[in-house]
Amino acid sequence: MPALAVIGAQWGDEAKGKIVHFLARKAEVCVRFNGGPNAGHTVVDEHGEVSLHQIPAGALHPQCLGILAHGMVLDLWALEEELAALGRQGRPQPKLLISDRAHLIFPWHRQREEQEGLAQRLGTTKKGIGPAYADRAARRGLRVMDLSRPDHLAKRLCAEGASSILPDLSRLREKFAPFLGDARAVLAEALQAGKAVVFEGAQGTLLDVDLGTYPYVTSSHTTVHGIPWGTGVWPTLAVVLGVAKAYTTRVGAGPLPTEDLGPAGQRLREVGREYGATTGRPRRCGWLDLVALRYAHTVNSFTHLALTKLDVLSGFPELKVAVAYRLAGKRWETFPPFAEDLFQAEPVYETLPGWHKEITGIREFSHLPKEAQQYIRFVEEGLGVPVALVGTGSRAEDVIVRAELLGYT
Ligand code: IMP
């Protein structure tokens, strides 16, 4: 089967975990290519609810190999804990392959994040992500492959005043040894053999270090462009699935034109349980933003969209959707490239009728109230991308499939 990519179309937290888990039921490989433990991909299945931070969500399926590619920055201590948490839920240990080339996160990266005040300034997740990527770019990072170079490792740890963690690192090296390897080569072979491969984006398009709302972004490439960057392969992607929530959320600082600070935003937060899976922080909430989504489409060339958490919108008498911005007295149909402009952008809304019926767990488009169908069609037409999947609840099976996605659905 040709490869499929799942990409966040907003500011992250679009429920990609659920969608990836759903699509990977028949996949042979699932690849995380960017970010690290800043991500929180939540899956609810027969074992209960789990938030994955570094393990690809597809790897929860026993047949699926989870690749942690070199575009990620890895915290091995956190990975150990993540595996232990899966064990405590009675889940089988996932099949994993960790890229030798991936850079490692160390305690000093978190300390630097703290010292530089990044959490206060940008609302970062305090996982050491930015400083680890900075070390990588400055060519002083330590990679997974360096774990087998104890002399080199000892020298670097000494330079960082962290020699005491050397024995623990040796232990982790032993523990993870069976999972380490040339992930790029294995992935290239899998693609060549036509295996079913799902690429699992972390964070969202508007948090991309170059294409997002800089500087209020993460430090990696969160878009479809992150796939070749973070894996070293150039896959033929028959499906690029953008994942967007039926409304908008953001955690951390930065512009959010459709943010609603009144009762509507409050209701979205409570009904949608909009609290960070990684940090527990309340998410900022607001209406769907088609200007931002159209921009995400121009960046990623989505072939399809998954519209998630539609059930959260039930009970609103009417629903607003931003179709343009008003900025400096003019109407803007496109997404301004500068965060400073976005802070000033006022959304121009269209109002659609809401619905009262509870839609949680509905699996047929025709069973949705006509207003919910109209909402989906409005998004589809406004974006020019077919909505292939609709999320109607947190459980794995709460999905409406409107279009087959190769053999994955
Ligand atoms: P960092 O990735 O920890 O450096 O944080 C940079 C920005 O990206 C902050 O605004 C974070 O809240 C945001 N961010 C990072 N990872 C995620 C995620 O998985 N979901 C949503 N926001 C995220």
Side-chain angles (χ1 to χ4, degrees):
M1 259 187 325
L4 174 150
V6 177
I7 301 291
Q10 297 161 318
W11 279 275
D13 306 321
E14 300 95 348
K16 293 181 294 296
K18 175 199 161 92
I19 297 295
V20 168
H21 182 254
F22 178 76
L23 293 171
R25 286 168 305 161
K26 296 173 204 157
E28 289 158 276
V29 183
C30 181
V31 189
R32 272 281 308 271
F33 54 87
N34 76 294
N38 50 349
H41 291 181
T42 303
V43 171
V44 182
D45 64 6
E46 69 276 16
H47 294 280
E49 178 169 328
V50 62
S51 272
L52 296 171
H53 303 288
Q54 300 182 91
I55 297 170
L60 292 182
H61 300 294
Q63 87 291 348
C64 186
L65 171 70
I67 292 186
L68 287 75
H70 67 249
M72 293 184 74
V73 281
L74 297 175
D75 182 331
L76 293 184
W77 289 274
L79 186 59
E80 185 179 39
E81 171 48 33
E82 208 172 318
L83 285 166
L86 293 185
R88 287 196 293 274
Q89 279 191 323
R91 295 173 186 270
Q93 287 295 290
K95 284 194 289 179
L96 296 181
L97 174 58
I98 300 171
S99 170
D100 277 337
R101 292 184 175 94
H103 279 253
L104 292 168
I105 300 178
F106 288 96
W108 62 80
H109 291 125
R110 282 191 298 276
Q111 285 156 14
R112 227 174 275 162
E113 186 168 352
E114 184 83 39
Q115 284 156 8
E116 291 174 9
L118 290 171
Q120 289 92 317
R121 196 151 53 84
L122 306 176
T124 60
T125 60
K126 303 185 184 170
K127 302 291 177 191
I129 303 293
Y133 277 117
D135 273 1
R136 170 179 181 267
R139 288 149 294 171
R140 56 170 180 246
L142 285 170
R143 300 196 283 179
V144 167
M145 62 173 73
D146 292 319
L147 293 175
S148 27
R149 298 166 65 202
D151 292 350
H152 178 65
L153 206 54
K155 223 189 274 169
R156 281 286 286 125
L157 293 184
C158 182
E160 296 285 353
S163 301
S164 62
I165 63 172
L166 192 56
D168 205 30
L169 272 178
S170 308
R171 181 186 66 77
L172 288 170
R173 151 84 206 162
E174 287 292 301
K175 175 161 188 166
F176 286 112
F179 303 121
L180 312 183
D182 187 348
R184 197 211 68 81
V186 171
L187 178 59
E189 225 167 80
L191 290 165
Q192 183 73 28
K195 290 193 176 171
V197 178
V198 174
F199 290 94
E200 175 178 351
Q203 294 85 43
T205 296
L206 301 168
L207 289 173
D208 184 279
V209 63
D210 285 321
L211 297 161
T213 51
Y214 190 91
Y216 307 98
V217 292
T218 190
S219 303
S220 69
H221 296 287
T222 59
T223 64
V224 74
H225 309 287
I227 293 176
W229 165 83
T231 62
V233 298
W234 183 257
T236 306
L237 294 170
V239 170
V240 180
L241 180 71
V243 185
K245 237 182 302 213
Y247 48 97
T248 305
T249 65
R250 168 168 208 165
V251 275
L256 185 62
T258 61
E259 182 167 18
D260 187 298
L261 298 169
Q266 181 74 18
R267 181 183 168 121
L268 290 170
R269 185 173 311 111
E270 294 313 319
V271 179
R273 295 202 297 147
E274 296 297 350
Y275 295 88
T278 300
T279 59
R281 292 178 291 175
R283 297 181 184 138
R284 299 158 63 195
C285 298
W287 301 108
L288 190 68
D289 184 343
L290 278 187
V291 188
L293 277 186
R294 283 197 300 261
Y295 169 69
H297 178 40
T298 69
V299 167
N300 296 290
S301 299
F302 297 133
T303 58
H304 301 81
L305 201 72
L307 197 64
T308 60
K309 301 186 83 163
L310 187 70
D311 51 305
V312 175
L313 295 184
S314 296
F316 280 97
E318 46 185 38
L319 301 165
K320 295 202 273 184
V321 177
V323 293
Y325 298 147
R326 187 150 284 284
L327 182 60
K330 289 202 196 107
R331 185 182 164 102
W332 284 56
E333 303 273 347
T334 53
F335 195 71
F338 304 115
E340 291 315 314
D341 289 334
L342 267 171
F343 275 120
Q344 312 299 325
E346 279 176 41
V348 177
Y349 286 116
E350 282 205 24
T351 302
L352 280 81
W355 59 89
H356 290 286
K357 193 181 147 194
E358 182 62 60
I359 62 167
T360 305
I362 286 185
R363 299 185 61 186
E364 294 288 334
F365 184 73
S366 60
H367 295 175
L368 289 173
K370 71 174 190 325
E371 294 85 359
Q373 297 184 10
Q374 184 188 345
Y375 189 83
I376 293 166
R377 292 207 177 94
F378 186 83
V379 174
E380 216 162 43
E381 282 159 24
L383 206 58
V385 180
V387 173
L389 304 177
V390 181
T392 56
S394 56
R395 294 171 311 163
E397 63 273 22
D398 297 337
V399 180
I400 298 170
V401 179
R402 291 186 71 221
E404 294 301 319
L405 299 174
L406 309 168
Y408 289 92
T409 41

